[in-house]
Amino acid sequence: MNNSAKILIAIGAGAAIGAMFGILFAPGKGSETRSKIKSRKEKFGDDLNDLFRLGKGKCNELKQDIEQTVKEKVKEFA
């Protein structure tokens, strides 16, 4: 995993944790807080899925680059 993917994951996790603490320490009824937590959890899940799709795409690109480089080197030495 490259540094930019790690940074994106760290930013997403930090934002989610910050949002959760903000909700938990904000004054409000328990039902409202639970509702807010549920909606934030769903959004975080969606964001996490997007990050995994992005990471998967980056891994596929890297795989293709490696395969291409190997093919070129094989042709060079053949």
Side-chain angles (χ1 to χ4, degrees):
M1 184 182 304
N2 62 21
N3 286 339
S4 60
K6 290 178 184 178
I7 290 170
L8 287 174
I9 291 171
I11 288 171
I17 291 169
M20 294 302 283
F21 276 113
I23 290 170
L24 290 173
F25 288 108
K29 292 171 41 175
S31 60
E32 291 172 359
T33 301
R34 285 189 297 276
S35 175
K36 287 179 184 178
I37 289 172
K38 181 180 176 189
S39 67
R40 296 284 171 100
K41 179 188 77 156
E42 291 169 356
K43 183 180 178 338
F44 178 70
D46 292 341
D47 291 346
L48 193 57
N49 283 335
D50 291 343
L51 282 173
F52 278 121
R53 275 192 294 265
L54 176 67
K56 185 177 177 181
K58 294 288 185 184
C59 286
N60 285 335
E61 288 176 17
L62 180 61
K63 178 186 165 207
Q64 290 173 357
D65 289 346
I66 290 171
E67 287 175 349
Q68 183 64 32
T69 302
V70 168
K71 287 177 184 177
E72 289 172 2
K73 294 299 178 184
V74 167
K75 284 181 183 178
E76 237 178 74
F77 291 108

